[in-house]
Amino acid sequence: MPKEGNCVIAQSGGPTAVINASLLGVIEEAMKQHPIRAIYGAKNGIIGLIDEELYDLRMEDPEELKLLKTTPSSALGSCRYQLKPFEHDEKDYVKIFNVFEAHNIRYFFYIGGNDSMDTADKLTRYAKKIGYDICIIGIPKTIDNDLVMTDHCPGFGSAAKYIATSVMEIARDAVVYPTNIVTIIEVMGRNAGWLAAASALAAKDIGAPDLIYLPEVPFSVDKFLDDVRNIHKKTGKITIVVSEGIKDKDGKYIADMSHKFGIDAFGHVQLGGAAFVLENIIREEVEKRVKAIQFNVLQRSAAHIMSKTDVEEAYMVGRMAVKYAVEGASGYMVAIKRDSDSPYSSSTELVELYKVANAEKLVPLAWISHDGNYVKEEVLNYIQPLIEGEVEIKFEKGLPRYAKLRKIMVPKKVV
């Protein structure tokens, strides 16, 4: 028999253009499921559970909720908070499960990436330890596309579409003058180069980028200069895309050649700046006219150019998470399975959270050029279906009309 009780949804990690489509999928499916009564949203991810800050999502205007499907960023707020292993420190777990019990939470859905799946796995194991009856399901999200056990991740397709489109536009801008120029574009990707690889889709339109560097391959400044010089002699105009996480054979980040970075809550180096380091090197060694462009957060929440495939799959995994949970599944992530490439189709399946937590899916070396400065056709075949389709976005006074939630707080019950 399905559990009768309430559910809570939380979002974590970096925003994406489609993370709210998953949120809407959970909300709409939860409203259809009779065992689920109240539907809550946790403010700022797992922190909202620790602090007992919950929104009553049934109090939202249905029309505003519908707009979540095309609203970027995390509507419930996010966090980068790491739960310590409960074997070492149970303090946060006690707070969270006190909130679960006080509000009769029997379903918990966590939308996020690698670290979020780790959190969901820890909560699943703790629930078993204390005998608390709850279904916990992870819902994938990350523009980095580095979650294992799933063909790809919601958020990646739209970010890839934005990157490829922007590279097309930047490359067109760079060729209008007769003078030489080197343009270096930096995209996100700490250890996985999927986003940088997506820029190769632009080459079908304008032949750029000329060079692509991924973190999967050790980066050599000397080899890089040789690559740039060879193209510079032929055309004088070069467009280069680099992942923020490119590093040398010793594991030192290229961005770190100029300064040190901070560390986030999960111990990850906070990157950014590789393009500016390379800009200075090229200016000194090859060409004085150099431009460095860092997409930064623009690639995460570019809802104006969302992929319809991405939106619909993000919505799908949200809905399926609820269906699986009501059927009794717990301790799983909803993964996307690619059923066909032509025509493209996909479905969902469940994978154990512990197999996903803290693991990374990298671009296969076989999909990267022998010289390590470009990608092969296999990457394009993999990414192409994920960027396809356009989304009709509601506009108001010339600007996108995004969801405006009331965010009515649920009265606290835990003393």
Side-chain angles (χ1 to χ4, degrees):
M1 289 288 292
K3 299 178 178 64
E4 288 195 2
N6 304 323
C7 83
V8 63
I9 315 158
Q11 299 171 308
S12 183
T16 80
V18 303
I19 188 172
N20 290 326
S22 293
L23 171 62
L24 178 64
V26 175
I27 295 171
E28 291 191 340
E29 188 60 38
M31 287 182 173
K32 297 176 184 177
Q33 298 291 342
H34 296 298
I36 297 178
R37 306 308 171 94
I39 303 172
Y40 302 137
K43 179 181 179 181
N44 298 122
I46 202 70
I47 293 175
L49 289 177
I50 294 171
D51 295 338
E52 197 186 1
E53 293 187 313
L54 306 176
Y55 302 125
D56 188 343
L57 297 179
R58 283 191 181 273
M59 298 294 289
E60 298 293 343
D61 182 338
E63 293 305 310
E64 290 299 324
L65 288 176
K66 288 180 183 178
L67 289 174
L68 284 173
K69 199 169 185 179
T70 54
T71 296
S73 190
S74 304
L76 301 178
S78 186
C79 69
R80 294 192 184 277
Y81 186 84
Q82 186 175 34
L83 287 179
K84 297 175 182 177
F86 58 80
E87 296 86 353
H88 302 153
D89 188 347
E90 292 189 54
K91 182 175 61 177
D92 286 340
Y93 297 86
V94 171
K95 290 180 179 179
I96 290 169
F97 278 83
N98 281 343
V99 171
F100 282 164
E101 188 166 16
H103 294 273
N104 193 26
I105 304 299
R106 299 297 164 181
Y107 300 91
F108 175 50
F109 304 100
Y110 208 22
I111 310 172
N114 314 64
D115 299 315
S116 302
M117 297 306 113
D118 177 59
T119 296
D121 178 53
K122 288 174 178 173
L123 291 176
T124 299
R125 291 188 289 110
Y126 189 76
K128 290 179 180 178
K129 176 192 173 185
I130 65 173
Y132 187 82
D133 193 15
I134 186 171
C135 290
I136 298 175
I137 300 289
I139 300 172
K141 170 261 12 160
T142 176
I143 67 168
D144 291 327
N145 197 42
D146 61 352
L147 285 175
V148 300
M149 307 296 290
T150 182
D151 181 80
H152 55 278
C153 305
F156 170 67
S158 294
K161 186 167 187 164
Y162 171 84
I163 287 168
T165 302
S166 297
V167 170
M168 287 169 58
E169 294 169 345
I170 291 168
R172 286 177 179 275
D173 182 90
V175 299
V176 298
Y177 301 110
T179 51
N180 293 342
I181 184 171
V182 177
T183 305
I184 309 172
I185 302 166
E186 179 182 329
V187 302
M188 288 181 173
R190 176 183 289 107
N191 297 318
W194 295 105
L195 289 171
S199 68
L201 294 169
K204 295 180 179 180
D205 171 76
I206 198 169
D210 302 284
L211 299 166
I212 303 173
Y213 297 93
L214 282 59
E216 285 83 353
V217 177
F219 185 87
S220 164
V221 172
D222 291 337
K223 172 67 167 52
F224 169 72
L225 286 173
D226 287 342
D227 293 341
V228 174
R229 288 190 183 104
N230 288 336
I231 299 176
H232 188 262
K233 289 175 184 177
K234 297 175 184 177
T235 68
K237 295 177 174 63
I238 311 171
T239 301
I240 305 165
V241 173
V242 301
S243 292
E244 63 181 356
I246 54 172
K247 43 191 170 299
D248 64 20
K249 60 182 178 60
D250 297 320
K252 182 179 180 181
Y253 290 107
I254 300 305
D256 204 20
M257 291 173 64
S258 61
H259 57 283
K260 299 292 183 181
F261 296 100
I263 304 295
D264 69 14
F266 293 94
H268 304 317
V269 176
Q270 295 173 316
L271 299 176
F276 300 109
V277 170
L278 298 178
E279 174 189 23
N280 291 329
I281 292 173
I282 290 176
R283 184 172 288 117
E284 292 176 5
E285 301 288 340
V286 183
E287 170 62 53
K288 297 299 182 185
R289 191 161 178 255
V290 190
K291 287 185 179 180
I293 300 170
Q294 191 181 50
F295 285 168
N296 208 304
V297 298
L298 295 174
Q299 64 210 289
R300 296 201 307 200
S301 297
H304 60 286
I305 195 165
M306 287 189 293
S307 153
K308 185 175 183 179
T309 298
D310 195 24
V311 172
E312 294 303 329
E313 288 185 333
Y315 180 74
M316 174 179 70
V317 295
R319 288 187 61 245
M320 291 306 299
V322 178
K323 289 187 175 183
Y324 287 132
V326 171
E327 291 171 0
S330 184
Y332 294 94
M333 181 188 81
V334 181
I336 296 174
K337 181 173 64 172
R338 186 180 301 224
D339 297 320
S340 170
D341 277 315
S342 184
Y344 174 77
S345 65
S346 65
S347 57
T348 63
E349 60 184 354
L350 292 175
V351 297
E352 292 93 340
L353 283 168
Y354 76 89
K355 293 181 179 179
V356 182
N358 298 312
E360 286 183 310
K361 179 177 69 179
L362 306 181
V363 177
L365 293 179
W367 290 7
I368 302 172
S369 69
H370 177 72
D371 290 336
N373 59 13
Y374 215 78
V375 294
K376 296 181 181 179
E377 193 70 21
E378 288 91 337
V379 172
L380 306 186
N381 294 337
Y382 167 80
I383 299 175
Q384 183 64 51
L386 310 183
I387 71 165
E388 292 183 354
E390 288 66 55
V391 178
E392 184 176 344
I393 299 173
K394 183 177 181 179
F395 278 77
E396 193 173 87
K397 295 183 178 180
L399 295 174
R401 172 67 164 84
Y402 295 140
K404 300 173 183 176
L405 301 186
R406 299 168 66 194
K407 296 185 177 179
I408 297 173
M409 301 298 295
V410 177
K412 293 189 177 186
K413 296 183 178 182
V414 179
V415 179

